[in-house]
Amino acid sequence: MALLVVEDLHKRYGKEEVLRGVSFELERGETKVIIGPSGTGKSTLLRCINRLTEPDRGRVWLNGVEVTSPRTNIYRIRAQIGFVFQDFNLFTHLTALDNVRLGLIRVKGMGKREATERAMRELARVGLADKADAYPAQLSGGQQQRVSIARALAMDPKLILFDEPTSALDPELIGEVLQVMIELAEAGMTMLVVTHEMGFARSVADEIIFMEKGVIVEQGPPEVLFTNPRVPRTAEFLRKITEFYGESG
Amino acid sequence: MGKRILVWVLPLFLLGLGAVGAEKYIVASDIPWAPFEWASPEGDYLGFDLDVMRCIAVLMGYEIEIRPVAFDSIIPAVVLGEVDIGASGFTITAKREEVVDFSNPYWLSNQAVLVRKDAAFKTLDDLFCCGHKIGAQRGTTGADWVQSNLVDKGVDVQLVLYETYPEAVLDLVNGRLDAVVQDEPASQQSISAYPELTVLDIIETNEYFGFLVASGDPKGLLRKINDGMYRLGLRYDLSLPAEGQWKVKFHIVPGSPWDYLVQAYFGPPLEKVEAAWKACIGTLYDETLTPEERVYEFAKCLAEKASG
Amino acid sequence: MTAVDWQNLVQGVPSLLSGLLINLEILFGLIALGFAVGILIALVQVYSPRPLAALAVGYEWFFRGVPEMVLLMLIYFGLRQFQVRITPFVAAVIALGLRSSAYQSQIFRGAIQAVGRRQMMAALSVGMTRLQAIRHVVLPQALRLSIPPWSNEFSSVLKDTTLASAIGVIEVFKKARFIMGRNYALALPIFLVVALFFLFLTYAGNWALGALERRYRIPGFEAKGAGERF
C-alpha cells in the first residue's frame, strides 16, 4: 500500500461543500504539489489528512493504518505527520530551541538532553543553529518558517504537509525556505505541498495535482502538465499563475 | 492560614467527639458598649459584662471565648446554637423571653436622654416635639421606647436608628441629632468623653439586665451563671408580681468581688480601667490560687488600681 | 485632637495591623480559590461541548450578578442550613473567592481566546493532546496576557475583604470600629489610617504584579507589536 492514501474526502462548511470527493495516493519518498485557485479546499484537504479538521466523509490511510477510524489513536498519527502552516504558528512564548524540543519532550517522552541534541541538529539542518535562543518575535518571517520546518522534522515524521509555506513571506525571504524544502525533497522526505511557487513545483515535484472547486481536475508529472495538459482549464490556470507569480525557485 | 484552620477544625473535632476535657462556651457580646464591653487600644476585650463572665467561668470551672457579634445578631445566634451565652447589657423583656432564657437580673438601668448642653431644652416636653431627631441603637430598649411611646403615639419626633451607640453620640455631638436615648451607664461614659453633653432627664423604665442562653437552657448554663453571681456577692430582694414589671432590689455584699467590679467599671475613666485591667488580669488565671482567691484578688486589684 | 487622642491612635495601630493580617489571609484564600476555579470555568467555556459550556456561562452570570454582601450571607447561612458548620472566615473566603472566580474566568477566557486557535492547532499538529496543548502552549501564553486585567481584579478584591466584617470576621474594619467606639474623637483619624494601609497594599501589590509581568514578558513582542501573530 502507498504511504498515504486519501479516498473520497468530503467536507462541508455550512452550505458550502469545500471538498467534493478527493482521492489520491502518495508513495514513500514522493513529493506532490497541489495547485489551484484560492478557496478550492486545498488547505482543508491538508487539515483533513491529520484530522485537524474532521472530514464529513471519506477515508485516509497512513502507512496502512486508517487515520479516519474512530478507534485510531489520532495523537500518535499526528506525531508521524509533520505540518507546516502558512503563518508559521510557532509557540510565541518559547525560544526556537524550545519550539523544536517541545514535541520531543512532551509527546515522545524524550529526556531533556537527548531532545536538545536532536533539536539542535534539526535547527542546524535548516541553517538556524545560531538562533536557538531567539524568540519567534525576534526572528524574520523566513527564519520563523524554517524553525517551524525544524519543529516538524524533529518528530521524525513519515510525511510532511506544507500549507502554502511561503505565501505569508516577503519575496526576499521566500528563497531560504524553498531551499530547505528542496533539500528535504532531494533527501527523500515524503512531502505534500500546497503552493503557488511554480518554479519549485516544476523542479521538485514528482507529480502536480490541480484542484478546483473541491475536486481534482487533473494530476500528472510536471512536464506533462506544464507543456501538454489534458484539461484546458489546467493550461489556463498555469498561464495565469505564471503571469502573477513568475517562475521562482 | 494554618492557625485559622486549626481554630476551625478544633471546635468541630470537639463537637464531634462530645467535648472531651474542660467545657468551653462561647460568649457573644456587642463590642463596643462601654462600660459593659469594649476593646482596649491593644485589642483586649474588657468591660463589666465580660469580666463578670470571666469570673463566673473561673469559679464554676469552665472556659469561655468572647466573640464580638453585632447586637441584633446575638439573640439569633444564641437561638441557632452558634453561641452559648449572650452578655451584652440585654434588658429582660417579655418579647425576648419568648425566644431565649434569662439569668437572674444583674443590673438596673433606666434610659437616659442625652442632649447637648447648648441646646437649651429644659424638660423632656421641650424635646418631644417639633420634628426633633432622636437617635438610638437599633434593637435596643431605648429605640423601642421611643418608637412605642412617641412615634407610634403620633408625637412629632423622628427616630433615627444606628448600628452602634457611639455613632449616635457622634451625630449628637455634630448637631445631626437633637438627642440620644440610651441606657444610663453608657450615657455616663459618653458624658465623660464629651463634656459638651449632658443628661436632660431619666426615663424610668426599670430595666433589668440579664445574661441570656437558648430557650430551655440546653447546656445547663443558667444555674452556673446564677450560682456564680451569688458567689461573687450579688444578692436580691425579689418580689415577683403576677405579671408586668419585676420589682428587684439589689444587695451587694461589701468587699465582695462584685462590689469591686462595680467600683472599677462605674466611675473611673476608661484609660485607668484599661491600665488596671492589664496589670491585674494575670491574677485571675493564677493557678496557684483557688478559684475564689483568683476572682477576689482580681476584682480587688482592678478596683484599687482603677480608682487610685 | 488632644495628646491623649494621639496616644490612643498610636496604641491602636498594632491592633489594626493584626486585623489587617486577617484581611490578607482572606485575600490569599479567596484569590487562590478564584484562580483555580476561574481557570477551570474559562477552560470549560472555551473547550467543552455546548451543554457544559452553558453551565459555565450560568455560573459566571450568577456570581457576577449577586452583590457581595448578599453572597456572603447566602454562603454563611446557607451552609449552616445544611449542617455544615463553618466559621465566618471560611464563609468569607468561599463567598468572595467564588465571586472572584467568575471575574477571573472572564479574564482568562479573554486571554485564551486572544492566544488563538492557531496555537492550539500547531500544538495538535505535533501530536499533543488537547490537555497537553492547553498546559504547555495555551495557558502559558494566556496567563501572561492575563496579568494586567488580573491586577485590576486583585486591587478590587483586596478592598472587598473588609466586607467580611458583615458576617462577623474581626478584620481591620471591625478593629477600627472598636477603636472608634472607645474614643469617639478617633472616628475620622482611624479610618484615614485604614485607608492609608489599603493604599499601600494596593500599590505594593500592583508593583509586584508589574515585576511579574516584566519577568515573564516574551522578548521581541513589544518591539513588533502584534506583528507576527496573525
Side-chain angles (χ1 to χ4, degrees):
Chain A
M1 202 187 198
L3 179 64
L4 176 70
V5 177
V6 173
E7 181 185 281
D8 196 34
L9 277 184
H10 288 254
K11 179 69 185 173
R12 169 187 298 268
Y13 284 119
K15 281 227 172 77
E16 208 188 323
E17 203 175 4
V18 167
L19 290 178
R20 302 196 286 153
V22 174
S23 308
F24 63 91
E25 289 183 9
L26 197 58
E27 297 285 349
R28 194 165 284 105
E30 277 193 315
T31 297
K32 296 207 177 174
V33 174
I34 305 179
I35 63 174
S38 303
T40 50
K42 309 194 300 282
S43 295
T44 312
L45 171 63
L46 287 189
R47 288 201 305 274
C48 284
I49 290 176
N50 68 354
R51 283 169 67 188
L52 282 181
T53 300
E54 290 286 352
D56 296 328
R57 217 170 46 168
R59 299 198 281 177
V60 175
W61 284 263
L62 179 71
N63 214 14
V65 177
E66 191 189 335
V67 174
T68 40
S69 160
R71 277 189 304 270
T72 308
N73 182 341
I74 187 59
Y75 307 109
R76 206 170 294 170
I77 300 286
R78 286 193 188 132
Q80 296 174 46
I81 303 180
F83 203 109
V84 176
F85 297 86
Q86 178 177 349
D87 34 20
F88 336 133
N89 277 351
L90 288 181
F91 306 130
T92 59
H93 62 300
L94 298 176
T95 60
L97 177 60
D98 281 324
N99 260 278
V100 180
R101 261 199 312 208
L102 189 63
L104 292 173
I105 297 177
R106 298 295 170 187
V107 178
K108 292 212 152 151
M110 246 188 224
K112 193 147 182 216
R113 178 166 312 158
E114 201 189 337
T116 309
E117 266 179 45
R118 184 63 206 274
M120 284 307 294
R121 245 184 299 148
E122 298 305 339
L123 279 175
R125 192 166 168 187
V126 301
L128 287 172
D130 57 331
K131 294 283 186 196
D133 290 325
Y135 284 86
Q138 296 168 319
L139 299 172
S140 75
Q143 290 168 328
Q144 288 187 54
Q145 193 61 297
R146 284 189 278 154
V147 173
S148 123
I149 295 176
R151 177 174 69 181
L153 284 173
M155 299 297 287
D156 227 348
K158 298 206 165 42
L159 154 74
I160 304 187
L161 307 174
F162 290 82
D163 185 3
E164 298 204 38
T166 56
S167 296
L169 294 175
D170 291 333
E172 61 268 19
L173 300 173
I174 294 179
E176 63 197 60
V177 174
L178 287 181
Q179 185 57 37
V180 170
M181 290 167 68
I182 292 172
E183 283 167 20
L184 281 178
E186 286 173 356
M189 175 63 69
T190 315
M191 294 162 51
L192 188 59
V193 183
V194 170
T195 185
H196 295 304
E197 295 295 324
M198 291 306 140
F200 171 81
R202 213 163 172 167
S203 57
V204 172
D206 293 306
E207 186 175 90
I208 295 184
I209 299 174
F210 173 49
M211 268 182 74
E212 193 177 22
K213 295 204 180 64
V215 289
I216 295 179
V217 174
E218 187 173 350
Q219 60 187 95
E223 320 83 66
V224 174
L225 250 70
F226 273 95
T227 54
N228 198 16
R230 269 183 311 114
V231 182
R233 186 84 184 102
T234 315
E236 205 185 316
F237 176 77
L238 285 175
R239 211 175 26 241
K240 276 263 170 52
I241 256 280
T242 325
E243 253 176 60
F244 283 118
Y245 285 85
E247 292 192 28
S248 31
Chain B
M1 186 100 168
K3 221 177 19 160
R4 299 278 131 219
I5 298 177
L6 211 56
V7 165
W8 170 37
V9 166
L10 214 44
L12 267 184
F13 185 72
L14 290 176
L15 256 140
L17 293 189
V20 189
E23 305 107 78
K24 184 167 184 189
Y25 300 111
I26 301 183
V27 175
S29 189
D30 179 23
I31 294 171
W33 197 63
F36 286 92
E37 47 263 340
W38 80 92
S40 72
E42 290 86 5
D44 300 309
Y45 299 145
L46 53 159
F48 185 75
D49 282 344
L50 302 183
D51 276 348
V52 164
M53 283 283 102
R54 286 188 179 109
C55 289
I56 295 179
V58 166
L59 281 180
M60 308 310 288
Y62 58 82
E63 287 179 18
I64 58 167
E65 177 197 315
I66 294 174
R67 183 180 295 179
V69 178
F71 189 76
D72 47 5
S73 299
I74 295 180
I75 290 186
V78 167
V79 168
L80 284 173
E82 291 168 13
V83 300
D84 303 302
I85 305 171
S88 202
F90 277 101
T91 306
I92 303 174
T93 67
K95 199 153 128 253
R96 286 174 180 159
E97 287 245 271
E98 285 169 19
V99 291
V100 294
D101 282 352
F102 278 100
S103 68
N104 292 336
Y106 68 88
W107 190 265
L108 169 62
S109 173
N110 291 309
Q111 296 290 322
V113 181
L114 265 187
V115 296
R116 288 184 304 279
K117 280 189 182 139
D118 59 28
F121 293 115
K122 296 251 192 42
T123 68
L124 286 183
D125 289 322
D126 292 339
L127 174 62
F128 295 153
C129 77
C130 326
H132 287 138
K133 294 206 179 102
I134 304 181
Q137 184 181 7
R138 188 187 309 275
T140 59
T141 48
D144 284 345
W145 190 92
V146 174
Q147 181 69 36
S148 30
N149 290 294
L150 300 178
V151 177
D152 290 347
K153 298 225 167 101
V155 176
D156 184 18
V157 291
Q158 221 186 323
L159 172 61
V160 186
L161 294 174
Y162 292 82
E163 264 194 60
T164 70
Y165 170 62
E167 290 170 77
V169 172
L170 217 50
D171 268 3
L172 175 64
V173 170
N174 292 332
R176 270 186 285 271
L177 292 175
D178 297 299
V180 172
V181 175
Q182 184 62 258
D183 300 41
E184 261 189 285
S187 305
Q188 288 302 330
Q189 274 299 332
S190 306
I191 292 183
S192 49
Y194 289 103
E196 64 262 44
L197 299 179
T198 184
V199 173
L200 176 60
D201 205 342
I202 305 284
I203 302 172
E204 285 221 2
T205 47
N206 280 307
E207 294 169 319
Y208 293 91
F209 290 176
F211 300 111
L212 54 90
V213 299
S215 219
D217 192 15
K219 297 196 177 157
L221 284 167
L222 282 189
R223 213 193 28 185
K224 295 184 182 163
I225 294 177
N226 290 334
D227 274 354
M229 294 202 288
Y230 182 89
R231 283 162 68 175
L232 285 175
L234 180 61
R235 306 280 186 275
Y236 306 99
D237 266 352
L238 240 148
S239 58
L240 249 173
E243 61 175 307
Q245 309 269 18
W246 293 58
K247 289 260 188 314
V248 178
K249 269 183 81 176
F250 291 115
H251 286 153
I252 301 175
V253 175
S256 66
W258 194 275
D259 189 12
Y260 286 125
L261 285 176
V262 171
Q263 282 179 44
Y265 278 108
F266 297 99
L270 296 184
E271 293 81 21
K272 295 199 83 178
V273 184
E274 285 164 357
W277 194 88
K278 255 206 306 220
C280 303
I281 188 64
T283 326
L284 187 58
Y285 298 109
D286 184 348
E287 308 251 312
T288 67
L289 306 170
T290 69
E292 280 76 15
E293 284 170 345
R294 284 153 70 171
V295 164
Y296 177 78
E297 290 302 326
F298 167 64
K300 182 148 175 260
C301 170
L302 202 61
E304 284 172 357
K305 289 223 153 67
S307 330
Chain C
M1 271 179 50
T2 69
V4 175
D5 293 336
W6 279 107
Q7 205 182 11
N8 285 162
L9 184 63
V10 170
Q11 278 176 308
V13 169
S15 170
L16 283 183
L17 286 176
S18 76
L20 199 61
L21 193 61
I22 305 295
N23 291 81
L24 286 177
E25 287 177 17
I26 297 176
L27 177 68
F28 289 127
L30 87 88
I31 278 230
L33 181 62
F35 185 87
V37 177
I39 289 211
L40 196 64
I41 300 283
L43 288 175
V44 166
Q45 264 192 283
V46 176
Y47 292 116
S48 290
R50 280 276 173 74
L52 209 54
L55 275 179
V57 173
Y59 174 95
E60 241 190 62
W61 172 81
F62 176 79
F63 281 101
R64 289 178 59 211
V66 178
E68 289 114 318
M69 291 279 243
V70 176
L71 213 47
L72 280 165
M73 299 293 164
L74 282 177
I75 300 280
Y76 185 56
F77 293 114
L79 283 178
R80 285 172 121 75
Q81 280 287 79
F82 293 105
Q83 309 301 348
V84 181
R85 299 238 128 161
I86 52 172
T87 64
F89 177 88
V90 172
V93 169
I94 293 178
L96 295 174
L98 290 182
R99 184 170 181 278
S100 179
S101 75
Y103 284 92
Q104 289 193 46
S105 84
Q106 269 227 314
I107 294 173
F108 296 136
R109 183 161 53 91
I112 291 173
Q113 286 170 336
V115 168
R117 281 185 60 235
R118 298 185 186 186
Q119 290 287 301
M120 167 65 84
M121 271 223 277
L124 292 176
S125 76
V126 297
M128 286 197 228
T129 62
R130 280 197 134 186
L131 218 60
Q132 284 178 313
I134 289 173
R135 192 173 146 224
H136 299 291
V137 173
V138 178
L139 275 186
Q141 297 182 56
L143 287 176
R144 283 170 169 83
L145 288 176
S146 302
I147 296 183
W150 199 85
S151 83
N152 271 344
E153 174 68 7
F154 171 86
S155 307
S156 178
V157 292
L158 168 60
K159 291 176 280 189
D160 285 347
T161 57
T162 56
L163 294 170
S165 62
I167 52 173
V169 178
I170 313 295
E171 42 67 71
V172 74
F173 185 74
K174 208 55 192 283
K175 293 260 171 140
R177 278 238 176 141
F178 287 171
I179 293 173
M180 176 185 94
R182 189 199 160 284
N183 179 351
Y184 323 125
L186 293 182
L188 181 60
I190 205 69
F191 285 108
L192 278 175
V193 171
V194 174
L196 274 165
F197 283 167
F198 275 93
L199 282 172
F200 171 75
L201 285 177
T202 305
Y203 179 78
N206 282 331
W207 178 86
L209 286 170
L212 190 71
E213 192 189 357
R214 279 188 298 276
R215 158 94 176 73
Y216 283 101
R217 195 163 279 179
I218 298 172
F221 230 53
E222 324 74 63
K224 293 206 170 157
E228 307 292 11
R229 263 184 64 240
F230 47 101

